[in-house]
Amino acid sequence: MNPLLRPLALLGRGTRRGLARLGNVTLFFLDALLRLPLTIRFPREIARAFLQVGWLSLPIVGLTAVFTGAALALQIHAGGSRLSAEMVVPQIVAIGIVRELGPVMVGLMIAARVTSSIAAEIATMKVTQQVDALVTLSTDPMTYLTAPRVLAGVVTVPVLVGVGDVLGLFGGFAVATGQLGFTPESYVETSWNFLTEADIALSLIKGAVFGLIAVTLACHAGLNAGRGARGVGQAVKSAVQWAAILILAANVALTGAFFSA
Amino acid sequence: MIRLDHIAKSFGGVPVLEDVSLEIVSGQSLAILGRSGTGKSVLARIALGLMAADAGQVMIDGAPMSAKVRRGLMTQTGVLFQGAALFDSLPVWENVAFRLRHGPKRVRRRAAKDAALEALDKVGLDARVADLLPSDLSGGMQKRVGLARAILGRPRLLIFDEPNSGLDPVTAGEIDALIRSLVTDLGAAAMTITHDMASIRAIADEVFLLDAGRARWQGPVEDLDGAKDPLLARFLSR
């Protein structure tokens, strides 16, 4: 092959592999969706998944949101002062947190915390033959392992995004009222009046989609893990990096779709 | 009970099994003997329908393997995996009673626990271990729990993948004796994958020697000492 064409060939191979993986994950997700009604047979697995994905993620989501809101308020104030527009801090923090930073930060935190732990857990089950054991015990791994987690991702991540939005707004409020000279009443009133129902709906929809991406990729990587410790490591790495990329890509697509409509 | 006809399997173009045929009938205990990497575990996975063969056919009670046949097979099969493959997050009794609690025919918690305690008793484990997690147990005890899980529900087919690997000789001997008595008691067809000759003599009626993915020798365990096969002789000399 012409050496000049090699980078193109590499790019083509990478694109083909990426698309094949995307197709594979989509089929996997549809398979998991079909099993959702059957997962009712495993209430304890559902409860465990809700705990793992939702409840135990609250501290990291809350802290991340507070700090992000606080930093955003400082940035907007500093940037706005160049245009004598310091007073837009409540509006920009509100729209920035609710439409973008809240869902994206929560999505990335979920990719880091939940995707990695689910991928590692299921991949370890795969390499230690626990997944085979499930099959030999007349239990379908997709129904027992994947469907409860997908359900938990779709239901709990929007809730986490809602909590993240509130705490992010609180972070901005705390800095604005404690350091930037805003009064609490006017800050809250301005923020609240500026937000629309569409902003909140978009935020929660993004949460559901990001939860779906993070959990589906984790289960897919875990159930398709290679052998040994290396297989587990690669499954986790691959799940987390693809979850982060797809969450950011889905964020662009959803924002574009919502506000161009 | 189970018949494998002309099974072939390769990975990445490298053949692992070539034209392997064997049959196990109810009440018979067959040991698959072979060096590491000769395809013993792959053969067991194909027999269980966990992996598809590239060529050949698996017949269960005269019917070719299909999704439906496999589902039926799983309800009457017990498997002891090499590392026991216990579920880390569940206590011992729930591991043992997993099929009763989550399988197609569900049993109430109390009845499932009673059945699990009975199975644990059969493999020589005290009821006190029932509420422990698998990580609290030694390797030998984990194997016993795996064995209890395999025999619960009186399966018609039992598959043991290297039941003694990683165990001291005394515990290995106890596990062998347990397997033999359970197979006899249940009247099940049993397939044991191993490269331990002492274990084979204790467990098996019939021996199947696999070498480089091909059947090399097959015969009753009583014929082992008279066999002329050089590889078998090397196993026997260990």
Side-chain angles (χ1 to χ4, degrees), chain A residues 2-71:
Chain A
N2 185 335
L4 292 173
L5 293 176
R6 267 198 199 129
L8 276 178
L10 277 175
L11 185 67
R13 264 201 297 275
T15 307
R16 205 172 54 190
R17 268 204 298 269
L19 288 173
R21 188 188 172 94
L22 196 62
N24 212 330
V25 171
T26 305
L27 290 175
F28 180 87
F29 163 65
L30 293 174
D31 195 9
L33 273 191
L34 287 175
R35 321 277 171 133
L36 275 182
L38 300 174
T39 200
I40 196 83
R41 297 173 62 215
F42 304 113
R44 192 168 55 181
E45 282 306 299
I46 295 174
R48 202 170 148 248
F50 272 65
L51 190 73
Q52 183 185 25
V53 178
W55 181 251
L56 295 177
S57 300
L58 268 175
I60 191 169
V61 162
L63 284 172
T64 312
V66 169
F67 292 138
T68 305

Side-chain angles (χ1 to χ4, degrees), chain B residues 7 11 16 23 28 35 49 59 67 85-86 92 97 99-100 120 122 136 148 167 183 199 201-202 204 211 220 224:
Chain B
I7 297 294
F11 294 106
V16 175
E23 182 171 12
Q28 184 187 28
R35 296 198 293 188
M59 307 286 283
L86 302 177
V92 164
R99 198 199 303 267
L100 298 181
L120 286 169
K122 272 190 188 162
D136 298 328
L167 299 183
V183 170
S199 181
R201 289 183 195 279
D211 184 39
L224 275 176

Side-chain angles (χ1 to χ4, degrees), chain A residues 120-144:
Chain A
E121 184 183 354
I122 297 181
T124 305
M125 288 183 75
K126 172 91 188 300
V127 303
T128 56
Q129 295 187 294
Q130 292 177 55
V131 174
D132 284 344
L134 279 176
V135 178
T136 64
L137 293 164
S138 306
T139 303
D140 173 33
M142 283 296 285
T143 312
Y144 184 75

